[in-house]
């Protein structure tokens, strides 16, 4: 057929319209385009925001980071500090300059950046590098954390590198160094204010909080630098004038995150409810005159991870609620939710006398920065770093609630395929969160969207131990690390199987960290349910978790007693995934970092050996080096690619079959 010029133009227009009307799906490759935003701070005058962007650089296998100043009225951005190396922890000074940590002569130091001129002044002179810092309100004093110098060997000891093992992970290759609190004055003269034993470990770097009058400094003391003793933290108050140092309360341990209130009369701090390790860490207030302690957040019964004071004296609380991130205003013992508009997954919040900035994700976009002039105002979008996501066709999300055992009602997130038709059948893929004190919440999340784009329904269950449903639900995992949470997950799967569009014979289970623990438990405890499994950084043995990782003997979650005392060892094995390894039938991909100190690779080797010896299809992929998940973009992308590829390989292509056919 002969086509006219008009016909060609018409076809081009149709093609252009079709490409616009039918956007592509989110794939693993799109992860490389995502821009992350961290360290968000609003200026004291409320006119500008400061933050760091990170973009994946696959050629160099690192992240290109930029320090950005954003005008909240014009939305104009200015990249500053381009010559600084390894920037972190930026904050505003009273005069509009920026303080931050950056590398100088291969050591991490606190530095001052003048925005107008670009001039940089190195403030500290640490030999070992700055870990955290805090200026006093009058900027007369700088408090910071730094490790002590490594002892220099003598002639008699220079070839002897033996060390005494304590409560640390199996990858420690030398005695851990104490981290001390230092205070420097305006001339950079620094004095160490903590002695031997008055330390903050590298794992749990303490908050440094100044009083409004710059006279008092609060921090957390730990009895040693070994990582497994972090539940033994005790909050300390230091008087700059008298150099007196004393405990803030009479509690023996379990304290953290001390914050001196603007009135200088109280200190807020975290402490597990009723002193029970497995409970929510509520925020408590101690009156510095009377010593009276009040549990502030117990009536709210939600996990609170940030506390901020507004100019009018009211308190703003950031935390996790039933079906998303939340902000609450606390005034006269009443908690009132603050509107977040379309932001359902909140990352950071920073307040000033003229409003606040926040970063977070919506259901149809990745992380961006927003401005709220007042608590009542809807957030105003200021950036478009990830606007390409909104042009893609994402899977719609739904919060799902079901009944489990012990009268519990877990919830979770369902993400449907972008082109979902309820008259068809779809495989079900579980993506189980780690923690376990974490939550799966609505909002853009790269891996679930990439899984859903394959034509699968993605289910993210919040099993008991999750932190979005209050203390009763979170603490229900205590002494019940597997059976109870496993029943929560399986009861959720069974409820979903009642929906006509779920293919009951095509179900995969996947997870990382505690999600890997739960995956390993489920494929052995319920071996007939699954068609594929991915176990990432999976802890599978209670004794490994208690003896080999960095938290080891720390009381937490379901680890409330030593497995080596009395008859606990049998209980520990029966409540570990390893107990059911001989029952596993499903093809299982195992992935782990080779020097992961949080979940040692020993568990992955045990799972691999068990599957190999029982003739179960398996593959074990290890990534060199430390970290709990690959920190570099190339290895992270490989994890996601293998994750999806394994599921795709073992799920039949039945999502095109209509119900009843």
């Amino acid at each position: 057929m002969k086509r006219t010029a008009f016909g060609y133009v018409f076809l081009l227009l149709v093609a252009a319209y079709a490409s616009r009307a039918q956007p592509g799906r989110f794939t693993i490759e799109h992860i490389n385009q995502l821009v992350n935003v961290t360290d968000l701070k609003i200026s004291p005058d409320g006119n500008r925001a400061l933050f760091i962007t990170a973009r994946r650089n696959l050629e160099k296998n690192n992240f290109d980071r930029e320090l950005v100043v954003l005008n909240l009225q014009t939305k104009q951005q200015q990249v500053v500090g381009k010559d600084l190396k390894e920037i972190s922890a930026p904050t505003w000074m009273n005069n509009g300059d920026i303080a931050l940590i950056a590398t100088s002569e291969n050591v991490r130091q606190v530095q001052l950046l003048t925005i107008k001129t670009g001039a940089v002044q190195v403030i500290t002179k640490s030999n070992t590098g700055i870990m955290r810092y805090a200026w006093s309100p009058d900027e007369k004093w700088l408090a910071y954390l730094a490790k002590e110098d490594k002892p220099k060997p003598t002639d008699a000891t220079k070839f002897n590198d033996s060390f005494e093992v304590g409560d640390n992970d199996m990858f420690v290759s030398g005695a851990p160094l104490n981290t001390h609190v230092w205070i420097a004055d305006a001339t950079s003269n620094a004095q160490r204010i903590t002695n031997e034993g008055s330390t903050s470990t590298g794992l749990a770097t303490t908050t440094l909080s100044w009083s409004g009058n710059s006279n008092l400094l609060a921090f957390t003391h730990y009895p040693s630098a070994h990582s497994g003793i972090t539940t033994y933290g005790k909050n300390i108050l230091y008087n700059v004038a008298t150099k007196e140092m004393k405990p803030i309360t009479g509690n023996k341990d379990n304290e953290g995150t001390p914050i001196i209130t603007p009135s200088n009369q109280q200190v807020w701090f975290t402490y597990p409810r009723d002193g029970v390790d497995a409970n929510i860490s509520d925020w408590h207030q101690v009156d510095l005159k009377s010593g009276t302690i009040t549990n502030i957040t117990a009536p709210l019964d939600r996990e609170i991870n940030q506390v901020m004071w507004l100019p009018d004296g009211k308190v703003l609380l950031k935390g996790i609620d039933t079906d998303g991130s939340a902000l609450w205003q606390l005034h006269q013992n009443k908690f009132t939710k603050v509107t977040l508009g379309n932001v359902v997954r909140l990352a950071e919040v920073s307040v000033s006398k003229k409003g606040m900035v926040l970063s977070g994700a919506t259901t149809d976009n990745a992380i961006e920065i927003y401005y709220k002039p007042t608590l009542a105002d809807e957030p105003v979008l200021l950036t478009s770093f990830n606007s390409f996501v909104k042009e893609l066709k994402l899977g719609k999300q739904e919060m799902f609630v079901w009944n489990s055992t012990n009268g519990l009602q877990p919830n979770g997130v369902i993400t449907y395929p972008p082109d979902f038709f309820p008259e068809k059948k779809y495989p079900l893929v579980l993506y189980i969160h780690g923690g376990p004190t974490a939550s799966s919440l609505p909002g853009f999340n790269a891996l679930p969207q990439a899984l859903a784009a394959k034509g699968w329904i993605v289910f993210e269950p919040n099993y008991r131990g999750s932190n979005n449903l209050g203390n009763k639900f979170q603490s229900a995992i205590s002494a019940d690390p597997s059976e109870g949470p496993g029943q929560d997950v399986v009861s959720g799967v069974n409820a979903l199987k009642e929906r006509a569009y779920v293919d009951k014979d095509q179900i995969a289970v996947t997870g990382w960290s505690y999600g890997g623990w739960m995956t390993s438990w489920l494929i052995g405890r319920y071996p007939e349910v699954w068609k594929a499994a991915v176990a990432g950084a999976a802890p599978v043995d209670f004794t490994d978790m208690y003896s080999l990782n960095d938290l080891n003997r720390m009381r937490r979650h379901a680890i409330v007693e030593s497995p080596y005392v009395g008859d606990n060892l049998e209980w520990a094995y029966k409540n570990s995934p390893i107990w059911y390894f001989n029952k596993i039938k499903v093809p299982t991909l195992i992935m782990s970092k080779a020097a992961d100190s949080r979940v040692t690779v020993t568990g992955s080797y045990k799972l691999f050996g068990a599957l190999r010896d029982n003739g179960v299809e398996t593959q074990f992929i290890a990534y060199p080096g430390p970290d709990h998940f690959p920190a570099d973009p190339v290895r992270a992308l490989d994890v996601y690619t293998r994750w999806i590829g394994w599921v795709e390989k073992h799920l039949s292509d039945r999502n095109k079959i209509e119900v009843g056919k």
Side-chain angles (χ1 to χ4, degrees), residues 498-514:
E498 296 299 316
R499 300 186 176 187
Y501 48 74
V502 173
D503 190 334
K504 301 177 183 179
D505 299 321
Q506 298 293 312
I507 304 177
V509 58
T510 72
W512 195 275
S513 192
Y514 208 94

Side-chain angles (χ1 to χ4, degrees), residues 56-113:
R56 291 164 176 81
N57 186 327
L58 296 182
E59 293 184 359
K60 296 182 179 180
N61 195 25
N62 60 19
F63 290 86
D64 295 330
R65 295 163 62 84
E66 291 183 328
L67 182 63
V68 182
V69 174
L70 171 66
N71 186 302
L72 300 183
Q73 302 303 319
T74 67
K75 300 184 182 181
Q76 290 184 326
Q77 299 179 24
Q78 177 187 2
V79 177
V80 299
K82 296 180 181 180
D83 295 329
L84 292 170
K85 298 179 180 179
E86 299 178 313
I87 294 174
S88 65
T91 189
W92 292 100
M93 301 296 286
N94 292 331
N95 65 356
D97 290 345
I98 299 172
L100 46 81
I101 298 176
T103 299
S104 175
E105 297 182 355
N106 297 319
V107 181
R108 305 277 285 161
Q109 305 286 8
V110 176
Q111 304 187 38
L112 282 180
L113 168 66

Side-chain angles (χ1 to χ4, degrees), residues 357-375:
V357 290
L358 55 92
S359 60
T362 61
T363 57
D364 62 351
N365 198 11
I367 190 169
E368 300 287 359
I369 295 176
Y370 299 80
Y371 175 54
K372 276 175 64 70
T374 70
L375 295 183

Side-chain angles (χ1 to χ4, degrees), residues 242-265:
T242 66
K243 298 185 178 181
E244 179 185 16
M245 189 180 301
K246 63 181 181 180
I248 297 176
T249 75
N251 294 326
K252 295 181 179 179
D253 52 30
N254 266 319
E255 292 184 335
T257 327
I259 301 176
I260 305 175
T261 63
S263 68
N264 308 315
Q265 301 300 312

Side-chain angles (χ1 to χ4, degrees), residues 396-438:
K396 293 184 178 180
Q397 295 180 320
E398 170 193 332
M399 284 302 295
F400 175 53
V401 181
W402 68 95
N403 294 318
S404 185
T405 58
N406 302 111
L408 297 178
Q409 282 192 313
N411 70 5
V413 181
I414 300 173
T415 304
Y416 293 95
D419 294 307
F420 174 73
F421 299 98
E423 61 271 15
K424 294 184 178 181
K425 281 188 178 290
Y426 297 86
L428 181 67
V429 178
L430 276 64
Y431 174 40
I432 304 177
H433 71 72
T437 49

Side-chain angles (χ1 to χ4, degrees), residues 267-269 283-287 291-297 333:
V267 176
W268 282 44
F269 64 97
W283 284 86
H284 295 67
Q285 176 184 277
V286 56
D287 186 276
T292 303
I293 298 176
T294 305
N295 187 328
I296 301 296
T297 58
N333 299 320

